[in-house]
Amino acid sequence: MTNRQNPAQPDDSAETAETAEPPPTAGDADATEPPAAAPAPDADPTPDAEAAHDPETAPWTGRTAWVFPGLVALFGAVAVWGALTIEAPPHSPPPGPGVVPGIVGALLLLVAARMVFVNLRVARRIREGAQAPGAPGVDWPPVGIIVLTLAVHVALLEPLGWLLSGALLFWGVAYAFGARTWVRDAVVSLSMSAAVQVGFSLGLGLNLPGGVLELVL
Amino acid sequence: MDAIVLLRDGLAAALTPGNLLWAFCGVLLGTAVGVLPGMGSAMAVALLLPVTFQMDPTSAFILFAGVYYGGMFGGATTSILLNTPGQASSIATTYEGHRMALGGRAPQALGTAVIGSFVASIIGTLVVALFAPTMVDFALKFGPGEYFALTVFSFVAVAAVVSGSVLRGVASLLIGLAIGLVGIDGQSGAPRFDFGSPVLLDGIDIVIVTVGLLALGEVLHVAARGRNAPDLASIRAGKPWLKRRDVRRSLPAWLRGTALGTAFGPIPGSGAEIPTFLSLGAERRLAKRREQRGGGESEFGKGAIEGVAGPEAANNGSAAGSLVPLLGLGLPTSATAAIMLAAFQQYGLQPGPVLFERNGDLVWTLLASLLIGSVLLLVINLPFAPLWARLLKLPKPYLYAGITLFSVLAVYAINASVVHLVMLIGVALLAFVMRHFGVPVAPALIGVVLGPIAESELRRALAASAGDLSILVDSGISLTLYALVLIAAFIPLVSRVRRLRAERRERETTGAGTS
């Protein structure tokens, strides 16, 4: 049992060392005090304001702080559910197909719990008057356009064919990134898509769906 | 000495103008295919296999060697320039390589990658030529127990690519492991996490995960940052050549990477991923230790040239190393090696212990053509490094639209399945959430790649011992690896605690005055 859990060992020992540390300077980078513009223990403190906000070390605050712990918990719950419901075929050797999912799921739940704990600690410190760090906002419109374009592309790929849906994808993403020269964008999109289709079908023998154009030609 | 004479004869047979032309074409084709996201050298070699049916064996091998090396360099090119590795073995290159590119040092990163590949292939091929029998013996000592220890060791190397919170790194690794669980369980045949979809029974293809987590995730992340995003077009190409300081720092990294790659390449199933990550971890540690001794600041996290030189050398070193089991045992240890095996069989060669005696001339020709391939790679791609770097000068909308188009294409090319594309969007959204919350995606990739290997080796070992756990620690190799795991986990912990103590003391003394 001990050996099987070895992958997690560095983490486990890190946890214990962390909690052994007295609260004011908790050992985890998650808990670095918000106001100190806190650089990670191993990142160099730079005077540059842009570099000071490193998303990998900034603590999570506000309501969105619970999104990621929730996601981790969801993964963990699904893995544990799988471990309990996977049916091992008869005569399979001792460590069955559910053992490793069980371990992974349990560790995921453990990590989620730890994240919740860190979040609570950060929230308490902010309530006590520490300044909440400003997180960079998300520019939602371009992200939404790209995801929507991808979804439309996937939906139309087989009925419409690669040439048109590929061009649509290229144009949609370019638009999201601020391309507004309509004619040039359309020409570039269509020629990229066509080049890919020709190059791959002729050169590499990969068949991309022809779609409606197949019916016309 | 025998081997050197034989290798010289092989070179003599391989070095004809016609063959050089094949090698040239191979390198160009390989680089072109390798540049596409999700398509590595294995794909390039597979696509060319039918073409070579008409060729004589020597020319075919030379073409393969060129394509192979070209493909690996192509993967490194996109890793560095666009943060989109073409294959699992160039993932390790992205971390420091892309940061170098953002810092205006793209040509240097490409240069150190191409020279590192060259150094590693030359040394690796020579080592294989001279020590193949000894290396076969060592590789045969690796049973499931040892192999599991090796994967555990690689998981610890995750620490190498996590710069911030350990907790988030572990979360990312576990998410990767969970993704890797999907599909039919290789040991028992039980379907796992298929949610009733027949496509999920095959598992989530590594191409989907790589392209989604890195390429599309990056596109979404850049889009979300709007005007705060780094402007790739403003990257100045800078001086194309490596400065003396760059060479001085790259050289030891090249050699260490070569050693790691050549040592791990022959181990069945290990592929090139483990040595590349081990090399990245080793370079990072060494740089930090040098910094602590006052020997120059560690540039890791900001684009350290060692972090490109080491993994790229390890990648090519392991490619040469993987020839050992292929030629000596007839055992392919990577996807590309498996395709090469098919090529051998096409020429009536039966790889195995007697190959060197029965078809010695062809084997030496093959080794010689690998040498030629790596020389040509250097000759062709070193001058082109600054040219490739200009790819970043494309208008930003077109650049990212192109990345998206090729990402979708790479995934659709796996099996012409629309379900794969839906999975791709899902993985890309996951990557976007992770990036937004500052969770590193690298450990997730390591988990997806190595998780299934670790699980099957663990269960194979336990099945062989009828559930007796002592099989995991009953050999010198395993014990050494576990000892290294403990040391690797323990050292950063001690130094972190020590540093925090020092920081606290400092804050107590200075903080009293200011606040």
Side-chain angles (χ1 to χ4, degrees):
Chain A
M1 216 42 215
T2 45
N3 282 310
R4 197 177 301 162
Q5 286 184 334
N6 244 338
Q9 207 154 337
D11 167 44
D12 283 348
S13 39
E15 299 277 52
T16 46
E18 224 170 78
T19 39
E21 197 73 2
T25 46
D28 202 328
D30 283 312
T32 37
E33 284 177 49
D42 47 3
D44 305 281
T46 32
D48 196 350
E50 178 67 28
H53 184 86
D54 179 359
E56 291 202 6
T57 53
W60 299 322
T61 54
R63 257 180 300 172
T64 51
W66 306 101
V67 173
F68 203 78
L71 192 66
V72 173
L74 181 70
F75 268 94
V78 172
V80 169
W81 164 80
L84 296 176
T85 51
I86 291 168
E87 283 171 27
H91 310 301
S92 55
V99 175
V100 172
I103 296 172
V104 171
L107 288 173
L108 275 164
L109 290 177
L110 210 67
V111 167
R114 173 80 192 156
M115 283 175 163
V116 167
F117 176 72
V118 171
N119 270 352
L120 287 175
R121 200 164 51 185
V122 171
R124 193 185 61 217
R125 208 167 297 150
I126 290 174
R127 264 203 314 280
E128 282 168 3
Q131 188 196 339
V138 173
D139 198 0
W140 284 112
V143 177
I145 294 173
I146 293 174
V147 174
L148 195 72
T149 316
L150 276 167
V152 169
H153 169 78
V154 170
L156 294 184
L157 179 59
E158 282 182 351
L160 209 58
W162 168 267
L163 185 66
L164 293 179
S165 67
L168 189 71
L169 177 69
F170 189 97
W171 179 79
V173 176
Y175 180 86
F177 275 95
R180 293 292 184 278
T181 46
W182 307 100
V183 178
R184 195 179 69 165
D185 295 346
V187 171
V188 171
S189 302
L190 271 171
S191 38
M192 276 299 288
S193 180
V196 165
Q197 175 131 29
V198 170
F200 274 76
S201 333
L202 294 186
L204 305 178
L206 183 81
N207 274 323
L208 292 165
V212 282
L213 294 179
E214 237 165 45
L215 303 174
V216 177
L217 294 178
Chain B
M1 279 306 101
D2 243 16
I4 292 177
V5 175
L6 289 165
L7 191 61
R8 201 189 55 206
D9 293 347
L11 268 176
L15 267 177
T16 65
N19 284 344
L20 282 181
L21 190 68
W22 283 123
F24 184 81
C25 293
V27 170
L28 279 187
L29 266 173
T31 312
V33 175
V35 164
L36 304 176
M39 305 209 181
S41 36
M43 176 89 92
V45 175
L47 291 168
L48 275 179
L49 188 60
V51 180
T52 58
F53 282 136
Q54 313 297 329
M55 298 163 70
D56 70 293
T58 313
S59 314
F61 284 147
I62 287 188
L63 187 66
F64 276 145
V67 169
Y68 193 30
Y69 285 141
M72 285 203 289
F73 178 70
T77 309
T78 45
S79 305
I80 291 169
L81 296 180
L82 306 174
N83 202 14
T84 57
Q87 52 201 333
S89 56
S90 34
I91 292 172
T93 310
T94 54
Y95 303 112
E96 296 306 319
H98 189 58
R99 291 198 179 111
M100 278 184 80
L102 289 177
R105 285 163 49 77
Q108 279 79 10
L110 290 171
T112 198
V114 78
I115 301 177
S117 309
F118 170 74
V119 170
S121 341
I122 296 286
I123 298 180
T125 311
L126 288 178
V127 167
V128 169
L130 297 178
F131 300 106
T134 334
M135 289 168 83
V136 167
D137 283 347
F138 177 71
L140 281 178
K141 288 209 181 80
F142 265 71
E146 286 78 9
Y147 201 54
F148 177 67
L150 184 63
T151 51
V152 170
F153 184 59
S154 312
F155 286 141
V156 176
V158 164
V161 290
V162 176
S163 65
S165 151
V166 176
L167 186 65
R168 292 184 200 176
V170 173
S172 174
L173 175 69
L174 288 170
I175 288 177
L177 289 175
I179 293 174
L181 290 173
V182 173
I184 288 188
D185 169 37
Q187 297 295 302
S188 67
R192 299 197 293 192
F193 303 103
D194 60 335
F195 303 104
S197 156
V199 180
L200 281 176
L201 285 178
D202 293 333
I204 300 179
D205 197 285
I206 183 66
V207 173
I208 300 177
V209 181
T210 327
V211 169
L213 277 184
L214 294 169
L216 275 189
E218 171 86 3
V219 169
L220 288 176
H221 184 65
V222 173
R225 286 178 67 191
R227 257 175 281 138
N228 295 324
D231 189 4
L232 291 176
S234 73
I235 294 175
R236 278 215 299 267
K239 292 222 178 67
W241 301 105
L242 295 177
K243 295 202 196 84
R244 191 182 297 163
R245 179 168 166 275
D246 294 331
V247 175
R248 205 181 56 229
R249 289 176 49 178
S250 296
L251 187 64
W254 289 332
L255 296 179
R256 282 190 292 263
T258 306
L260 276 172
T262 319
F264 284 101
I267 297 166
S270 68
E273 298 86 20
I274 297 180
T276 52
F277 280 116
L278 291 181
S279 166
L280 181 65
E283 295 306 329
R284 193 184 149 112
R285 290 259 156 77
L286 286 170
K288 203 181 274 177
R289 204 195 303 158
R290 204 171 49 227
E291 181 180 279
Q292 277 162 1
R293 285 189 187 147
E297 199 184 327
S298 160
E299 288 180 357
F300 274 82
K302 282 174 282 174
I305 197 162
E306 304 97 307
V308 179
E312 274 307 301
N315 186 3
N316 280 54
S318 79
S322 69
L323 285 175
V324 169
L326 178 65
L327 300 176
L329 302 171
L331 194 68
T333 57
S334 68
T336 315
I339 298 161
M340 302 257 282
L341 186 65
F344 284 139
Q345 282 158 351
Q346 176 190 316
Y347 293 111
L349 297 177
Q350 199 45 258
V354 290
L355 178 72
F356 278 83
E357 280 137 49
R358 209 180 284 163
N359 299 96
D361 48 340
L362 265 180
V363 173
W364 292 111
T365 312
L366 172 70
L367 291 175
S369 53
L370 288 175
L371 291 178
I372 296 172
S374 51
V375 172
L376 271 178
L377 180 70
L378 184 74
V379 171
I380 295 175
N381 279 331
L382 195 56
F384 280 114
L387 214 64
W388 280 116
R390 299 188 71 131
L391 194 63
L392 298 178
K393 301 250 179 219
L394 283 172
K396 197 163 142 190
Y398 294 161
L399 182 64
Y400 285 103
I403 294 177
T404 312
L405 195 71
F406 280 113
S407 302
V408 169
L409 183 70
V411 169
Y412 191 72
I414 305 169
N415 212 356
S417 158
V418 174
V419 184
H420 281 164
L421 293 179
V422 176
M423 278 148 77
L424 174 70
I425 298 179
V427 175
L429 285 175
L430 173 69
F432 175 61
V433 172
M434 289 172 77
R435 293 283 300 263
H436 178 68
F437 285 104
V439 177
V441 291
L445 273 173
I446 300 176
V448 176
V449 175
L450 296 182
I453 304 175
E455 183 187 359
S456 70
E457 297 297 335
L458 171 70
R459 286 169 55 194
R460 211 181 287 164
L462 290 179
S465 72
D468 181 5
L469 287 167
S470 67
I471 191 172
L472 299 176
V473 288
D474 72 348
S475 85
I477 298 176
S478 311
L479 283 176
T480 314
L481 286 168
Y482 286 127
L484 287 173
V485 166
L486 286 180
I487 294 170
F490 194 63
I491 289 177
L493 205 69
V494 169
S495 62
R496 176 173 281 196
V497 167
R498 220 185 264 162
R499 194 171 39 224
L500 283 166
R501 290 238 170 90
E503 255 170 35
R504 187 171 64 218
R505 263 199 304 278
E506 206 170 300
R507 211 175 298 160
E508 271 163 9
T509 48
T510 59
T514 49
S515 63

